[in-house]
Amino acid sequence: MSDLRDRLTDGAYAVGWSAVKKLPEPVAARLGRTIADLAWKRRGERVLRLESNYARVVPDATPQRLAELSRAGMRSYLRYWMESFRLPAWSPERVKTGFEATDLHHLTDGLASGRGVVLALPHLGNWDLAGAWVTTKLETPFTTVAERLKPETLYDRFVAYREGLGMEVLPHSGGTAFGTLARRLRDGGLVCLVADRDLSASGVEVKFFGDAARMPAGPALLAQQTGALLLPVTLWYDDSPVMRGRIHPPIEVPETGTKAEKTSVMTQALADAFATGIADHPEDWHMLQRLWLADLDPAKDPETNSGKSTGSGQDVVRDPGKGTP
């Protein structure tokens, strides 16, 4: 049964990448909205989880407002998928005009300094489009991480897709990825990580919209060990075909404290920056899984039991615990 499910999952993504990218853009957009509305009306587990997460972000929202947010959130989520399926077919000019960033100087000045830059993002908007824009508009390659997915063929599809957009994709395998990322940063390179969810034992506990959650330590540890800038990024959609984004000011390494204490402070600062962007555009936060510790049941949640994180497949980079690689 598991093998059949894996084949069906892989087949569904294969159809998406082969068929959706051939559709005219307005047709693909309408298809995404239709699928989103159907999923929203079914009120399945993922939709209810999304709505529950929005309730923490907008605590004074009425049930009607939460329903409106979850519908908009599903539409945003399907816009992400429709765009992602079509990105390989976009012209360089379409990619360049598909995203606009404010406070871009934080990134460009950081890269020009030669000290390396870590961009850390939550599951907001379309991080793949933002990445394609960086490699195309800024002509800057970068490195990211992907966890192994099942089936293996699906993982291979995601890696090939992101490499086709100009990204270097490393498999997440213990300390190996961390060491390679550190070397890229010491060479003055760019690393991009989705970093708003880590349910593993090595996740850093933060206060997020007033309650405890865990986020990955990797971005803060990389900045500490390499001297790279750590820049939070938030993304959002408006009513236009262009996605918007903001590069937040650098998160500095504290002058005092142990490595763990510094990591905690920096990861909390990341969480605070993410919260600012999510609060402004909650419908574009694609968090369809449990996040807050109070929502987890260790006896029932396989992610908590396994020590693994799920989501985009690139949201966990752990310190190998062996000093500077």
Side-chain angles (χ1 to χ4, degrees), residues 80-220:
Y80 160 78
W81 279 112
M82 292 298 108
E83 286 180 347
S84 295
F85 286 143
R86 290 177 50 76
L87 265 176
W90 281 17
S91 68
E93 188 60 30
R94 177 67 181 90
V95 173
K96 291 177 183 178
T97 59
F99 176 59
E100 290 185 0
T102 59
D103 296 328
L104 182 61
H105 65 92
H106 291 307
L107 173 57
T108 54
D109 291 351
L111 291 172
S113 73
R115 60 185 289 193
V117 174
V118 180
L119 293 181
L121 307 86
H123 288 79
L124 267 172
N126 188 336
W127 43 94
D128 286 326
L129 171 55
W133 183 86
V134 167
T135 61
T136 305
K137 175 75 173 181
L138 301 185
E139 298 181 340
T140 301
F142 67 87
T143 306
T144 188
V145 173
E147 279 195 283
R148 291 282 179 185
L149 301 173
K150 289 188 177 182
E152 189 77 11
T153 52
L154 180 58
Y155 170 80
D156 292 340
R157 288 186 193 277
F158 271 101
V159 170
Y161 158 65
R162 288 183 171 128
E163 288 179 342
L165 298 176
M167 310 174 192
E168 179 189 22
V169 183
L170 305 177
H172 174 253
S173 52
T176 303
F178 189 96
T180 303
L181 294 173
R183 287 192 292 274
R184 298 290 184 269
L185 292 169
R186 292 193 186 98
D187 289 339
L190 176 63
V191 165
C192 300
L193 301 168
V194 178
D196 57 346
R197 185 173 185 264
D198 185 353
L199 302 184
S200 73
S202 62
V204 177
E205 188 169 317
V206 297
K207 282 291 184 182
F208 195 53
F209 290 99
D211 211 343
R214 281 199 293 266
M215 295 186 180

